[in-house]
Amino acid sequence: MSLNPQQRAAVDYCDGPLLVLAGAGSGKTRVITEKIAHLIGRRNLAPGKIAAITFTNKAAREMRERAGRLLRGDAADGLTVCTFHALGLRFLQLEHERAKLRRGFSVLDADDTRGLIKELAPANSKPDALFALQSLLSRAKNDGLTPEQAAARAGSVREHEAAAIYAAYQRRLAAFNAVDFDDLIRLPLGLLEADEEVRAAWRERLRYLLVDEYQDTNAAQYRLIKALAGERGAFTVVGDDDQSIYAWRGANPDNLNELARDYPALRVDKLEQNYRCARRILRAANAVIAHNGHLFDKRLWSEQGEGAPIRVTECRDDEHEAECVAAAVVHLAQQHKVAWSEFAILYRGNHQSRAFEKALRLVGVPYHVSGGTAFLDRAEVKDLLAYLRLIANPDDDAAFLRVVNLPRRDIGATTLERLGELAGTRGLSMLRALQYDALLTPLTPRAAASLVRFGQLIGEFAARAQRMPAADLVDELMQRIGYAEHVAGQVKDAALRERRLANLRELVEWMRAMPSHGAGDLAAQLALLTHGDRDDPGNAVRLMTLHAAKGLEFRCVFLVGVDDTTLPHEGSVEEGRLEEERRLLYVGITRAKEFLTLSYARRRKRFGEILANEPSRFLKELPADDLHRVGHDPAQDAARRQEMASAHLARLAAMLAE
């Protein structure tokens, strides 16, 4: 299919800064990949001079594959297609000395970060207080602030406390030769803004930038774009202010305004033709989002058919809502030959999934809940990645503490605490301290001997890491330490034990498939992977939050919990964030290609009580002519009930026959 005129204009324009306002389902990824091919094939820009930046590894992988198909052969060699954090990692690996890091530095994950903050926070800090501290530190970094700048800006007692912990936290990271996720943006940004030589070198290295999901950038990410693009403004950013739903993690939709102010020559192109949704669905989406303020107006349109009326279902309570949705899923699957994977049940919060899981199980419908424990968050996988980090970086105390007693080596907590104190007196990491007899003498002979053997093991594998693939290294390490036997001994349930052992095998095979340049590089790459990167549900109904659904599409969508305590969420209403809640609904509506149902319950169980609910105020913003309110047309409802009953009986018969 050829590009439409608006897409073609966005692809062809390369003479200045460009903002592409791309509505839902308007082909924005195609515009980016076609523009990459245009820059290389027609503008003769070397692939290595182009960077396409997005927010998930999954999106980057899809973009890279599509660009490769357009260019063919080796024409795309050297092209950078990655996330912001992966670009920051690449920068720091090349500029580690300027960033005051040693080669092979570690990237700490969220668990490591929480552990460090807990150590530095006041004793007996409650989980909520620790989470608030972690959020304040992350927000300071996302604003590009150093600990000193954060302290200068602090106004409240809590902010002063957070700034002090931020300074101690950064000292600890420096001792570990480590960075966290936020540093992958903050440190490159600091160097680019402060060092003219570095800035000039990177602007020459990356001559053109393409940024996807621009509305999701935070303050530091926008400053990074500006620092790399410079006054030339050789960039195309693609975004949609109507889909800005991540303010809670620092995303700033006002970056659209900043772009227009910082680049007066900015050209704005709009992609308004939607290739996904039926017209009724688009009319509903346009009607809802029209109630939000806009810097740039746009209105989606489609050449698709009208589609089925949007159903609005009032239910008695949570369980009744789940039963209605499950019955409708079975009915649509049978009447319209819809595969299970073409259904999505979308909700505001993860806690809402339970009733729908139960209802789908009762009618024998396979389902997959997105947002469960990610593969890389499983304990056995994190253990092996910690070994890999320590092999690559002997100063990574967080990794050391995780694996020094896995499998058990009879090294107690008191011994480790004492070792940490002794290492601190010499300014050494805990692993490096094992090389000094004087630091081991105060420990018990048995503990000291175990620690020495552990240090020798890591040293041996560190030497071998220079000449063997990381997958082979980890495979051999598991055999050497008997890790599979350790896992098997920890789990009594046979099925769970097999799943955990399968995770180990899968990790090794996955490592074999990943491009890397050694243990440290691979450990850092793996640290950047997100939950969605391994979310492969197969042929099953998808259950997920509205936030997780962004970027996806389904033939049949059920938006559930559309009531005035859930969507909009009452906390967001109280805090004046109604527009973002409306954007969430807009995102949910535009996931549907053909069939859309919105449901709400008159009563919900909250905090152990049954409370009355009002339908969402957003329902009044939908075009009445495009809705079918279940219960308002007795004849039509009776016919549908008969169809659904027949479908339900057929499903039960099929289950009994299996």
Side-chain angles (χ1 to χ4, degrees):
M1 185 175 66
S2 60
L3 296 172
N4 67 38
Q6 292 73 32
Q7 292 172 330
R8 172 52 63 191
V11 167
D12 288 346
Y13 183 73
C14 302
D15 299 325
L18 174 64
L19 166 62
V20 180
L21 284 174
S26 63
K28 65 182 179 64
T29 302
R30 187 170 181 218
V31 165
I32 293 174
T33 54
E34 290 278 0
K35 189 151 195 172
I36 290 170
H38 177 79
L39 287 165
I40 295 170
R42 296 187 180 180
R43 295 288 179 133
N44 297 317
L45 191 60
K49 298 289 187 180
I50 301 171
I53 309 168
T54 187
F55 276 84
T56 69
N57 293 289
K58 184 177 180 181
R61 185 168 57 249
E62 178 188 349
M63 198 178 292
R64 188 182 301 110
E65 290 170 353
R66 290 174 67 169
R69 288 195 295 270
L70 286 172
L71 291 164
R72 298 178 184 175
D74 58 0
D77 286 358
L79 176 68
T80 297
V81 185
C82 63
T83 64
F84 273 99
H85 291 94
L87 181 64
L89 174 61
R90 177 187 172 195
F91 181 101
L92 291 177
Q93 286 172 332
L94 293 171
E95 306 287 355
H96 62 275
E97 290 184 3
R98 292 179 188 266
K100 298 180 181 178
L101 294 165
R102 295 184 297 282
R103 189 181 299 278
F105 62 85
S106 295
V107 180
L108 300 191
D109 64 16
D111 284 349
D112 295 325
T113 297
R114 278 191 292 272
L116 278 183
I117 290 173
K118 185 176 181 179
E119 289 178 20
L120 297 169
N124 302 317
S125 293
K126 294 183 178 179
D128 286 351
L130 293 173
F131 179 79
L133 277 173
Q134 188 172 2
S135 297
L136 284 171
L137 263 64
S138 182
R139 182 59 61 92
K141 290 191 174 191
N142 286 334
D143 287 341
L145 301 179
T146 64
E148 295 75 22
Q149 290 168 331
R153 291 194 186 186
S156 65
V157 172
R158 190 176 71 161
E159 288 175 343
H160 278 288
E161 179 187 51
I165 291 174
Y166 181 13
Y169 173 79
Q170 288 304 116
R171 288 193 294 271
R172 188 70 62 89
L173 287 185
F176 289 0
N177 189 33
V179 297
D180 63 18
F181 270 28
D182 295 322
D183 285 329
L184 294 175
I185 306 297
R186 185 183 69 89
L187 293 176
L189 175 60
L191 277 174
L192 286 165
E193 291 185 338
D195 192 319
E196 186 176 347
E197 183 181 343
V198 172
R199 192 163 59 246
W202 276 85
R203 286 178 180 175
E204 178 57 33
R205 182 188 295 271
L206 299 177
R207 298 286 294 170
Y208 201 93
L209 301 177
L210 300 107
V211 182
D212 191 16
E213 304 288 6
Y214 175 73
Q215 77 282 346
D216 293 337
T217 55
N218 59 33
Q221 287 162 342
Y222 175 51
R223 285 167 58 190
L224 184 66
I225 294 167
K226 284 201 303 179
L228 289 170
E231 296 76 17
R232 293 184 305 113
F235 62 74
T236 293
V237 300
V238 182
D240 181 7
D241 53 337
D242 291 334
Q243 297 188 74
S244 180
I245 58 174
Y246 295 114
W248 52 274
R249 70 182 190 195
N252 182 13
D254 194 52
N255 283 346
L256 290 162
N257 299 346
E258 290 290 326
L259 197 66
R261 286 193 288 265
D262 291 339
Y263 292 92
L266 180 72
R267 169 169 155 169
V268 179
D269 286 354
K270 299 178 185 179
L271 304 183
E272 296 172 294
Q273 183 175 359
N274 173 284
Y275 292 93
R276 174 190 302 158
C277 307
R279 290 179 187 171
R280 288 185 195 272
I281 292 170
L282 283 189
R283 285 198 292 268
N286 284 330
V288 164
I289 209 63
H291 288 78
N292 277 5
H294 291 84
L295 176 64
F296 305 102
D297 288 326
K298 68 178 184 305
R299 189 173 184 82
L300 296 181
W301 60 276
S302 173
E303 293 181 345
Q304 308 286 80
E306 279 289 288
I310 298 168
R311 297 177 63 81
V312 179
T313 305
E314 177 185 303
C315 305
R316 293 189 303 273
D317 52 31
D318 311 59
E319 290 190 3
H320 182 225
E321 183 180 32
E323 291 165 2
C324 289
V325 169
V329 166
V330 171
H331 170 69
L332 284 169
Q334 294 189 350
Q335 290 296 110
H336 298 278
K337 309 301 180 187
V338 183
W340 301 127
S341 58
E342 282 292 325
F343 288 94
I345 300 172
L346 309 181
Y347 35 74
R348 181 63 176 81
N350 279 310
H351 67 280
Q352 293 172 257
S353 73
R354 299 186 190 99
F356 297 95
E357 292 181 64
K358 178 181 176 182
L360 291 171
R361 281 198 300 269
L362 286 173
V363 294
V365 172
Y367 66 87
H368 173 84
V369 182
S370 296
T373 303
F375 178 77
L376 292 171
D377 287 341
R378 300 187 187 281
E380 59 273 15
V381 174
K382 289 176 74 70
D383 288 346
L384 290 175
L385 294 184
Y387 265 109
L388 202 60
R389 281 168 40 195
L390 189 60
I391 288 167
N393 175 14
D395 296 319
D396 192 337
D397 276 359
F400 177 93
L401 289 170
R402 183 176 184 100
V403 301
V404 67
N405 220 18
L406 285 173
R408 288 194 60 80
R409 297 182 175 90
D410 296 322
I411 301 169
T414 303
T415 295
L416 292 174
E417 183 177 349
R418 182 64 175 141
L419 176 64
E421 293 170 353
L422 293 166
T425 64
R426 296 280 191 94
L428 297 169
S429 68
M430 297 174 78
L431 181 63
R432 290 188 190 276
L434 302 184
Q435 301 171 17
Y436 296 87
D437 291 340
L439 298 180
L440 296 174
T441 300
L443 307 178
T444 65
R446 183 177 179 181
S450 293
L451 285 166
V452 168
R453 286 194 294 272
F454 176 73
Q456 290 170 341
L457 172 78
I458 298 300
E460 177 187 335
F461 277 88
R464 300 172 69 184
Q466 305 301 317
R467 58 180 187 274
M468 67 187 301
D472 293 342
L473 190 79
V474 170
D475 198 16
E476 190 166 327
L477 174 69
M478 282 197 293
Q479 295 180 38
R480 177 78 168 272
I481 65 177
Y483 189 78
E485 290 78 6
H486 162 75
V487 168
Q490 298 292 308
V491 184
K492 293 181 179 179
D493 180 78
L496 177 58
R497 182 167 60 246
E498 178 50 37
R499 282 199 300 273
R500 295 188 66 181
L501 292 173
N503 286 338
L504 299 179
R505 295 191 294 270
E506 185 177 355
L507 177 66
V508 172
E509 292 308 311
W510 196 25
M511 286 178 172
R512 292 193 199 283
M514 288 189 69
S516 69
H517 303 286
D521 180 46
L522 182 59
Q525 288 182 47
L526 290 168
L528 298 186
L529 293 174
T530 61
H531 289 246
D533 295 321
R534 298 196 51 79
D535 203 8
D536 183 14
N539 187 24
V541 174
R542 299 288 294 272
L543 277 67
M544 66 179 74
T545 65
L546 288 159
H547 287 98
K550 187 165 172 288
L552 303 177
E553 60 182 50
F554 303 90
R555 190 175 170 193
C556 307
V557 167
F558 293 84
L559 279 173
V560 301
V562 188
D563 49 59
D564 236 27
T565 56
T566 311
L567 184 64
H569 189 272
E570 59 183 344
S572 297
V573 175
E574 292 168 1
E575 295 167 12
R577 293 188 283 111
L578 191 63
E579 287 202 348
E580 179 155 335
E581 293 294 297
R582 188 177 282 113
R583 291 195 291 268
L584 265 179
L585 178 60
Y586 173 85
V587 166
I589 290 171
T590 54
R591 299 313 93 196
K593 295 193 286 188
E594 188 175 349
F595 298 100
L596 175 63
T597 299
L598 294 87
S599 61
Y600 60 92
R602 280 293 184 184
R603 297 184 301 276
R604 285 195 189 280
K605 184 180 288 187
R606 301 176 66 211
F607 311 115
E609 295 183 65
I610 303 296
L611 301 177
N613 264 345
E614 289 296 321
S616 172
R617 65 193 72 186
F618 296 149
L619 291 174
K620 297 175 183 177
E621 300 172 359
L622 297 171
D625 290 346
D626 290 315
L627 305 182
H628 170 64
R629 292 184 177 271
V630 177
H632 289 227
D633 185 339
Q636 185 175 350
D637 290 337
R640 183 172 173 85
R641 280 196 299 272
Q642 182 61 45
E643 288 180 358
M644 292 177 67
S646 298
H648 184 61
L649 289 172
R651 181 67 184 160
L652 289 175
M655 290 169 60
L656 292 171
E658 290 176 356

